């Protein structure tokens, strides 16, 4: 048997997978890189919260109520004498977790619905897409408020966090479902899908190993932007007292102090830091999302 | 006596044309219209015809990548069009396809070893991990790629190498029959011969049967044992390679063969011109489909569909004048040949 054009040269050259290419393009985007650094700092400080502060987030110290920032209490204390810096660190844990898991829920739902809808088409596609449209046509915030008010009312405070995650997650998948469906509609006509059929692969395998990985760029971009908006929504719900409730701190319910006009005027350390955290988290995630969109789309090469 | 591998009987594929608000089916595109042929084990049937004549649809209908409208396909004497999805999936191990476009036929997000090895894992032929890796390495090397190529992605290869990956993928399941859908027409001429030789070597060593679809007559001549000529969804002529090239009967085949360039400028060759465009396959001409362009068409051609029949020597032709010695087409040629130059 003849074997053509093969030189047995050991391969020294670096092989770049699609992800490495994305990363090398992402690295060139300085703004997005700054976003990544800010987000990393926020995440690290939330994860390492117990190491960064000597206080517990819910220890009430009646002897030091409403203290201004000092060396002992970096950001002062609140009206129950709890160390405010500690509460912000732990609040970051909750806020980021809610954002992350809400997005995970909506990405899972959205890509499954979009994947099935786009792959099978026909009546199934029709039903799923009409369902998606129904979900999309609900005004988001009023619905979220109603649902968390009804469902969350009978639950103890610790579980409110999970309710909030799920409410946000279950209400925000339709956008992704449509994006994924659209992508899959065009991908499934590609020849490599015919090859997959010819190889006798199962439908599940075709959807999850061939089609969805090719939409992963869109999913990631959607997820980053979705996470930013989930954090914002959580803050809004918590601010209204319908999301996570004290004593569990989140950035959203910490901003609640601003509702008191005395605090607003004379104790800015109670509302500026958590507000700033929300702002930094959201803007850095959005910057990362923008950077990823440019990095993943091969047409946007500079 | 070689054993029969594949038999296609009266295969038809009509695509509905839908129009209007209610998406009513108003007419049909007759992409494949009543095609029958046989392929033996280790044999190559070349299928030629101009673009849009339904060659690709034939290949894909046989593999049921497109569901045929009617007809029968026997693979190893089993009728495959009646099989359910499950049975079809295990049958697919034995029949594979190589695609024309080496760019869109490979999943850009999978490495070569994933592309080639996936089916081995999915059909539970090999265990995931080292076993599959070794098998993939073996196949990849047979196809003329190197082991270190296995962890690369399709975009890191040239067109010819990608086509080798496509062939490796098709070979992984150890098939006995491969539909090669214009496997070399997207490639450079110098690469074409490499790929063709690879395919012929594989045929020799693995006893593969090919349905080789192409519009390039010299490529088909190189690789095929038998050749079928398609026009507007139907076979017009089917014969052994040498028989077809030496003794073409159907006017369409003659016209096609007459325009193959000969690499010798001193030979003056008369090319037979066919006028007009290929008719639409929605409104197929009545009678003989070729009569609108056939220079020798008679009244009978406009009314009666010619039968696709054996004129001896396993030479099938669909022309009313095929069996007559006084074929008008032949006469014309003879007259020209006898003219003093």
């Amino acid at each position: 048997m003849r074997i053509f054009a093969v030189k047995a040269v050991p391969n020294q050259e670096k092989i770049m997978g699609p992800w490495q290419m994305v990363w090398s393009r992402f690295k060139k985007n300085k703004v997005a890189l700054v976003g990544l650094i800010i987000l990393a700092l926020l995440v690290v400080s939330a994860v390492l919260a117990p190491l960064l502060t000597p206080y517990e987030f819910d220890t009430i110290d009646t002897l030091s109520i409403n203290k201004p920032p000092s060396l002992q209490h970096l950001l002062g204390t609140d009206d129950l004498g709890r160390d405010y810096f500690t509460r912000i660190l732990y609040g970051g844990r909750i806020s980021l977790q809610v954002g992350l898991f809400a997005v995970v829920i909506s990405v899972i739902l959205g890509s499954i619905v979009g994947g099935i809808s786009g792959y099978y088409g026909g009546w199934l596609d029709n039903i799923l897409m009409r369902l998606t449209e129904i979900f999309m046509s609900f005004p988001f915030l009023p619905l979220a408020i109603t649902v968390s008010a009804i469902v969350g009312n009978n639950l103890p405070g610790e579980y409110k966090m999970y309710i909030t995650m799920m409410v946000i997650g279950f209400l925000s998948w339709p956008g992704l479902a449509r994006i994924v469906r659209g992508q899959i509609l065009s991908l499934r006509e590609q020849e490599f899908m015919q090859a997959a059929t010819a190889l006798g692969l199962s439908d599940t395998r075709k959807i999850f190993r061939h089609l969805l990985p090719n939409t992963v760029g869109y999913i990631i971009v959607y997820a980053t932007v979705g996470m930013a908006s989930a954090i914002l929504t959580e803050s809004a719900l918590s601010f209204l007292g319908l999301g996570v409730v004290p004593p569990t701190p989140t950035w959203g319910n910490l901003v609640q102090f601003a509702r008191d006009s005395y605090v607003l005027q004379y104790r800015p350390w109670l509302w500026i830091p958590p507000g700033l955290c929300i702002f930094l988290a959201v803007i850095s995630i959005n910057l990362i999302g923008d950077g990823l969109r440019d990095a993943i789309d091969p047409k946007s090469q500079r | 006596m070689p054993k029969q591998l594949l038999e296609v009987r009266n295969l038809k594929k009509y695509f509905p044309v839908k129009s209007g608000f209610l998406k009513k089916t108003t007419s049909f595109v007759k992409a494949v219209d009543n095609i029958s042929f046989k392929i033996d084990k280790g044999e190559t049937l070349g299928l030629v015809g101009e673009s849009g004549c339904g060659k690709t649809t034939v290949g894909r209908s046989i593999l049921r990548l497109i569901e045929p409208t009617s007809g029968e396909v026997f693979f190893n004497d089993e009728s495959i069009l009646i099989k359910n999805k499950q049975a079809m999936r295990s049958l697919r191990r034995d029949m594979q396809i190589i695609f024309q476009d080496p760019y869109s036929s490979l999943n850009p997000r999978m490495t070569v070893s994933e592309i080639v090895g996936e089916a081995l894992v999915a059909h539970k032929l090999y265990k995931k991990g080292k076993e599959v890796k070794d098998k993939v390495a073996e196949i990849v090397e047979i196809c003329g790629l190197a082991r270190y190529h296995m962890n690369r992605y399709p975009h890191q290869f040239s067109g010819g190498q990608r086509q080798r990956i496509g062939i490796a993928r098709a070979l992984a399941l150890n098939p006995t029959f491969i539909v090669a859908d214009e496997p070399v027409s997207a490639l450079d001429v110098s690469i074409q011969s490499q790929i063709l030789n690879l395919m012929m070597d594989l045929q020799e060593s693995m006893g593969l049967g090919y349905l080789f679809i192409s519009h390039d007559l010299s490529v088909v001549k190189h690789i095929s044992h038998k050749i079928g000529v398609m026009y507007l969804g139907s076979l017009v002529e089917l014969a052994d390679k040498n028989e077809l090239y030496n003794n073409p009967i159907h006017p369409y085949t003659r016209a096609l063969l007459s325009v193959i360039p000969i690499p010798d400028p001193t030979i003056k060759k008369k090319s037979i011109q066919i006028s007009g465009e290929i008719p639409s396959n929605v409104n197929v001409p009545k009678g003989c489909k070729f009569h609108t362009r056939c220079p020798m068409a008679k009244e009978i051609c406009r009314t009666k569909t010619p039968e696709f029949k054996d004129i001896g020597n396993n030479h099938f032709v669909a022309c009313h004048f095929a069996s007559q010695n006084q074929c008008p087409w032949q006469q014309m040629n003879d007259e020209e040949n006898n003219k003093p130059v």
Side-chain angles (χ1 to χ4, degrees), chain A residues 1-11 13-19 21-22 120 190-203 205 209-211 213-217 296, chain B residues 60 65 85 89 92 95-97 99-101 104-110 114-115 118-119 121-123 141-142 144-146 148 151-153 155-156 164 169 173 194 197-198 201-202 205:
Chain A
M1 176 171 295
R2 283 165 282 173
I3 290 176
F4 299 95
V6 182
K7 284 185 217 128
V9 181
N11 181 36
E13 121 195 46
K14 201 169 146 250
I15 294 165
M16 257 199 179
W19 289 116
M21 283 170 61
V22 166
Y120 288 104
Q190 301 252 343
E191 273 186 345
F192 68 79
M193 288 312 295
Q194 297 211 359
T197 311
L199 289 170
L201 305 181
S202 63
D203 287 353
R205 207 182 176 92
R209 294 270 294 134
H210 289 254
L211 291 173
N214 278 293
T215 62
V216 93
I296 288 170
Chain B
R60 298 200 177 175
L65 296 177
K85 219 175 163 183
R89 255 171 53 196
R92 289 192 187 285
M95 32 199 334
Q96 280 301 317
I97 180 163
F99 291 94
Q100 170 177 14
D101 181 0
S104 77
S105 63
L106 301 175
N107 188 338
R109 293 224 169 259
M110 291 169 94
E114 284 169 332
I115 290 171
E118 188 183 25
V121 180
H123 284 284
E141 278 169 3
I142 288 174
L145 295 164
Y148 66 78
N151 293 322
R152 294 196 184 177
Y153 288 88
H155 69 261
Q156 293 161 315
R164 287 174 192 271
R169 172 175 62 192
L173 290 169
Q194 288 182 14
N197 287 336
L198 171 66
D201 287 342
L202 292 169
S205 59

Side-chain angles (χ1 to χ4, degrees), chain B residues 65-287:
Chain B
L65 296 177
I66 298 171
E67 286 297 329
T69 312
S70 72
E72 281 176 293
V73 177
F74 294 93
F75 182 71
N76 285 329
D77 298 325
E78 276 182 278
S79 177
I80 66 164
L81 296 187
I82 53 170
K83 285 193 183 285
N84 64 21
K85 219 175 163 183
Q86 206 59 39
M88 199 57 213
R89 255 171 53 196
S90 54
L91 189 77
R92 289 192 187 285
R93 268 189 251 166
D94 294 326
M95 32 199 334
Q96 280 301 317
I97 180 163
I98 301 169
F99 291 94
Q100 170 177 14
D101 181 0
Y103 291 88
S104 77
S105 63
L106 301 175
N107 188 338
R109 293 224 169 259
M110 291 169 94
T111 62
V112 172
S113 80
E114 284 169 332
I115 290 171
V116 178
E118 188 183 25
L120 296 173
V121 180
H123 284 284
K124 302 197 173 65
L125 298 176
Y126 290 86
K127 279 202 206 79
K128 220 171 178 163
K130 198 180 158 8
E131 234 182 280
V132 167
K133 276 256 147 70
D134 287 345
K135 178 71 187 167
V136 170
E138 186 193 320
I139 301 162
V140 159
E141 278 169 3
I142 288 174
C143 294
L145 295 164
R147 200 174 251 269
Y148 66 78
H149 285 136
M150 279 168 54
N151 293 322
R152 294 196 184 177
Y153 288 88
H155 69 261
Q156 293 161 315
F157 291 94
S158 68
Q161 285 174 316
R162 281 159 162 260
Q163 202 56 292
R164 287 174 192 271
I165 300 169
I167 294 173
R169 172 175 62 192
L171 287 180
L173 290 169
N174 214 353
T176 49
F177 173 64
I178 292 183
V179 172
D181 186 0
E182 310 223 17
V184 295
S185 40
L187 305 176
D188 218 287
V189 181
S190 58
I191 311 295
Q192 283 191 359
S193 63
Q194 288 182 14
I195 297 289
L196 289 176
N197 287 336
L198 171 66
M199 287 181 68
M200 286 165 83
D201 287 342
L202 292 169
Q203 179 166 51
E204 212 169 285
S205 59
M206 301 172 75
L208 294 169
Y210 288 127
L211 174 65
F212 193 95
I213 298 165
S214 181
H215 58 251
D216 187 333
L217 286 156
S218 36
V219 164
V220 167
K221 186 178 183 184
H222 184 62
I223 197 169
S224 308
H225 302 106
K226 283 196 296 192
I227 294 173
V229 180
M230 271 184 85
Y231 182 76
L232 215 58
S234 306
L235 277 172
V236 295
E237 189 157 6
L238 176 68
D240 283 349
K241 170 169 75 179
N242 293 330
E243 169 77 13
L244 189 98
Y245 275 84
N246 297 334
N247 183 25
I249 303 286
H250 198 281
Y252 183 60
T253 315
R254 287 167 162 264
L256 284 184
L257 293 181
S258 74
V259 294
I260 300 178
I262 301 170
D264 184 349
T266 57
I267 296 180
K268 288 271 181 285
K269 204 179 159 198
K270 178 142 177 49
S271 71
I272 302 168
Q273 302 285 334
I274 302 182
S275 57
E277 287 284 310
I278 186 165
S280 128
N281 44 14
V282 179
N283 302 310
V284 180
K286 284 203 177 62

Side-chain angles (χ1 to χ4, degrees), chain A residues 8 13 15 22 69 76 86-87 109 121 144 170 196 210 216 227 243 261-262 275:
Chain A
E13 121 195 46
I15 294 165
V22 166
T86 311
R87 286 185 69 72
L109 277 175
F170 280 107
H210 289 254
V216 93
M227 185 168 165
S261 62
Y262 182 79

Side-chain angles (χ1 to χ4, degrees), chain A residues 227-249:
Chain A
M227 185 168 165
S229 81
I231 290 174
L232 274 181
T233 313
E234 183 275 327
S235 305
L237 287 176
S238 300
F239 180 79
L240 296 171
L242 292 163
V244 185
V245 289
T248 317

Side-chain angles (χ1 to χ4, degrees), chain A residues 79-200:
Chain A
D79 52 356
L80 293 171
R82 295 173 293 200
D83 179 63
Y84 209 62
F85 179 65
T86 311
R87 286 185 69 72
I88 286 176
L89 289 182
Y90 281 91
R93 276 188 169 187
I94 309 291
S95 283
L96 292 171
Q97 267 185 61
V98 169
L100 185 67
F101 287 110
V103 155
V104 168
I105 292 173
S106 84
V107 161
I108 290 174
L109 277 175
S111 37
I112 290 178
V113 170
I116 291 175
S117 188
Y119 179 75
Y120 288 104
W123 60 269
L124 195 60
D125 178 35
N126 260 324
I127 291 176
L128 287 174
M129 279 303 111
R130 295 305 84 77
L131 189 76
T132 324
E133 275 154 23
I134 291 171
F135 267 89
M136 274 184 132
S137 53
F138 286 136
F140 180 79
L141 207 51
L143 186 69
I145 290 169
T146 318
V147 173
S148 49
I150 295 169
V151 185
N153 221 6
N154 315 317
L155 285 168
E158 306 95 87
Y159 294 107
K160 281 245 173 176
M161 170 184 156
Y162 303 104
I163 295 297
T164 316
M165 280 177 196
M166 284 198 259
V167 167
I168 300 173
F170 280 107
L171 290 179
S172 57
W173 58 267
L176 182 66
R178 298 190 103 179
I179 296 173
V180 169
R181 170 183 173 267
Q183 284 301 311
I184 284 184
L185 278 181
S186 80
L187 281 169
R188 71 167 183 188
E189 301 301 327
Q190 301 252 343
E191 273 186 345
F192 68 79
M193 288 312 295
Q194 297 211 359
T197 311
L199 289 170

